[in-house]
Amino acid sequence: MADREAAKQILRTQRIELPSWAFGNSGTRFKVFAQPGVPRDPFEKIADAAQVHAFTGAAPSIALHIPWDKVEDYGKLAAAAADAGIALGTINANVFQDDDYRLGSVTNPDPRIRRKALDHLLECVDVMDQTGSRDLKLWFSDGTNYPGQDSIRARQDRLAEALAAVYERLSGDQRLILEYKLFEPAFYTMDVPDWGTSFAHCLQLGERAKVCVDTGHHAPGTNIEFIVAFLLRAGKLGAFDFNSRFYADDDLIVGAADPFQLFRILFEVLVGGGLDPDAGIAFMLDQCHNIEPKIPGQIRSVMNVQEATAKVLLVDRDALAEAQAAGDVLAANAVLMDGYNTDVRPLLAELREELGLNPDPMKAYLDSGYAARIVAERVGGTPAGWGA
Ligand code: LRH
Ligand code: MN
């Protein structure tokens, strides 16, 4: 039988990184619904992220997106985060919102535009030097919309050249995390469309280059946990962008659309040694709370990851190994489903009390009055958003 205390021990080490952009206004091409009390600058985003950590105890860092979170003094921003009890995490580059990047950024046929995009990526490493961040996450919107529009091979050559230049610039424990996405905003080819393409580029680059699995970036029906198991075995899984989706890159709350998929993914993380704090896997959320309140949305997301993690930790691994070795298909599946069907909420409430936290983070936040306070205080200025 799985050991509850052992499970709690690992749950105490769980660290989920929050995306700064989840606290700003977001939406679709149809509408971005503005919400009252939304942050107007990275300092207010940090204050909101700190609320999520204060009530969950499991979200001690915030990922930044440049230029959305550009500031004069990143040292001052890091100090503000520390004062709020969190740290600055992954730095996300942005070469997907400039007219020059219509035909691509680092893969653009025009060398002047490729240089401009590379300069931004290198600027992001400068930011990492100031924030002390370990990871630079690169997602490229680069791709084509029509067959023949550009040479698929030449674009890969250009991409590899830019990645090598960025890799060369990394120092200390810095890493390059390459995120893939099947489609959108390009609809014929994306230059990093799948895990294999990211994996191949990361192998070519070296030890510091790892793959980012965004759970919303696959074709419907993709067995994401297979990809996770494979990348962990190869030592090339660097990070997750957790969210959930019913159809495309919906960026909904992780576990909301398919909690069983999240369970299956985290089970492969567990058996692949990815829950070990020194495994170096960054567990990030990458979501947009288009219609729901932002801070409660992030609290719910952290709780969903904690619940899925607790369930996989309660799987009777010995019984599973025995059934697998015996080729007892139904018994093996039943052992895993027992874990999934375990109500872990009492265990997590107990853990939170042991950590001096309110057993119900959501109720504690809603009762804190913080939501009403930021609506009253944050009047004027420009609410943060994607600035698209
Ligand atoms: C692209 C993506 C990427 C981020 C952006 C906010 O779809 O997942 O991780 O840069 O969302
Ligand atoms: Mn992402």
Side-chain angles (χ1 to χ4, degrees):
M1 184 51 201
D3 172 343
R4 291 174 96 259
E5 281 316 309
K8 283 203 276 187
Q9 192 38 45
I10 293 176
L11 287 164
R12 283 191 190 89
T13 67
Q14 188 157 46
R15 302 280 173 272
I16 299 157
E17 185 159 294
L18 308 181
S20 67
W21 53 98
F23 298 101
N25 284 326
S26 59
T28 70
R29 59 185 166 175
F30 300 104
K31 174 67 178 157
V32 171
F33 296 101
Q35 295 188 23
V38 154
R40 283 94 40 102
D41 61 46
F43 292 88
E44 292 182 343
K45 293 176 187 177
I46 285 171
D48 292 0
Q51 287 290 304
V52 178
H53 185 51
F55 291 103
T56 64
S61 62
I62 180 171
L64 301 181
H65 220 296
I66 308 299
W68 298 340
D69 299 315
K70 200 177 183 70
V71 292
E72 285 313 304
D73 181 342
Y74 287 100
K76 204 157 142 252
L77 193 67
D83 293 350
I86 63 174
L88 301 183
T90 303
I91 298 299
N92 288 264
N94 180 337
V95 284
F96 55 84
Q97 287 188 312
D98 186 303
D99 289 339
D100 276 345
Y101 299 146
R102 179 172 60 85
L103 301 178
S105 65
V106 294
T107 63
N108 195 293
D110 180 337
R112 182 188 63 76
I113 292 174
R114 297 202 293 273
R115 182 72 242 178
K116 174 180 176 177
L118 178 56
D119 288 345
H120 170 72
L121 305 183
L122 297 174
E123 182 207 337
C124 287
V125 184
D126 300 342
V127 171
M128 292 164 73
D129 293 344
Q130 297 164 66
T131 59
S133 301
R134 176 193 64 183
D135 292 350
L136 171 68
K137 181 149 80 68
L138 299 181
W139 171 70
F140 297 102
S141 59
D142 293 44
T144 63
N145 276 358
Y146 299 97
Q149 174 185 331
D150 195 356
S151 157
I152 293 173
R153 181 172 178 141
R155 294 174 74 91
Q156 289 301 309
D157 294 340
R158 298 163 195 160
L159 171 65
E161 189 186 326
L163 291 173
V166 175
Y167 192 85
E168 196 55 41
R169 171 70 182 75
L170 300 177
S171 63
D173 67 349
Q174 294 174 338
R175 307 187 311 173
L176 181 163
I177 308 290
L178 183 57
E179 183 176 357
Y180 58 88
K181 183 174 182 179
L182 183 65
F183 75 98
E184 189 206 38
F187 297 105
Y188 171 53
T189 66
M190 290 286 280
D191 293 301
V192 189
D194 55 26
W195 72 273
T197 307
S198 175
F199 180 58
H201 279 289
C202 289
L203 279 178
Q204 194 178 356
L205 289 164
E207 185 42 41
R208 295 162 177 276
K210 307 276 187 181
V211 178
C212 173
V213 175
D214 184 313
T215 48
H217 286 188
H218 304 82
T222 298
N223 187 322
I224 300 175
E225 58 269 27
F226 173 88
I227 298 170
V228 168
F230 186 97
L231 291 173
L232 272 168
R233 180 174 172 276
K236 277 297 184 190
L237 178 65
F240 283 101
D241 269 7
F242 277 143
N243 49 63
S244 71
R245 49 75 149 315
F246 289 104
Y247 302 104
D249 189 17
D250 307 351
D251 281 341
L252 298 172
I253 287 176
V254 58
D258 188 344
F260 185 42
Q261 181 189 55
L262 179 61
F263 169 86
R264 299 192 314 266
I265 288 171
L266 284 167
F267 185 71
E268 292 308 326
V269 171
L270 171 65
V271 298
L275 285 183
D276 306 356
D278 53 15
I281 311 293
F283 296 93
M284 296 181 288
L285 303 178
D286 180 2
Q287 298 171 180
C288 297
H289 302 293
N290 299 345
I291 59 174
E292 70 268 26
K294 320 272 179 188
I295 298 170
Q298 289 285 289
I299 291 174
R300 181 70 257 169
S301 304
V302 171
M303 294 170 70
N304 284 359
V305 175
Q306 289 180 308
E307 288 173 17
T309 306
K311 286 172 184 275
V312 302
L313 288 167
L314 292 180
V315 169
D316 186 337
R317 303 276 294 283
D318 300 339
L320 181 65
E322 208 178 302
Q324 289 173 340
D328 188 336
V329 175
L330 292 179
N333 178 251
V335 170
L336 205 70
M337 294 313 290
D338 287 347
Y340 181 64
N341 294 320
T342 302
D343 182 357
V344 295
R345 292 171 292 185
L347 177 141
L348 286 166
E350 201 179 286
L351 175 69
R352 292 181 184 119
E353 282 178 320
E354 289 164 6
L355 293 169
L357 298 167
N358 186 301
D360 182 344
M362 186 68 83
K363 184 173 180 322
Y365 169 75
L366 296 173
D367 295 347
S368 73
Y370 183 84
R373 199 163 70 237
I374 56 178
V375 169
E377 285 168 6
R378 295 176 182 173
V379 180
T382 309
W386 281 41

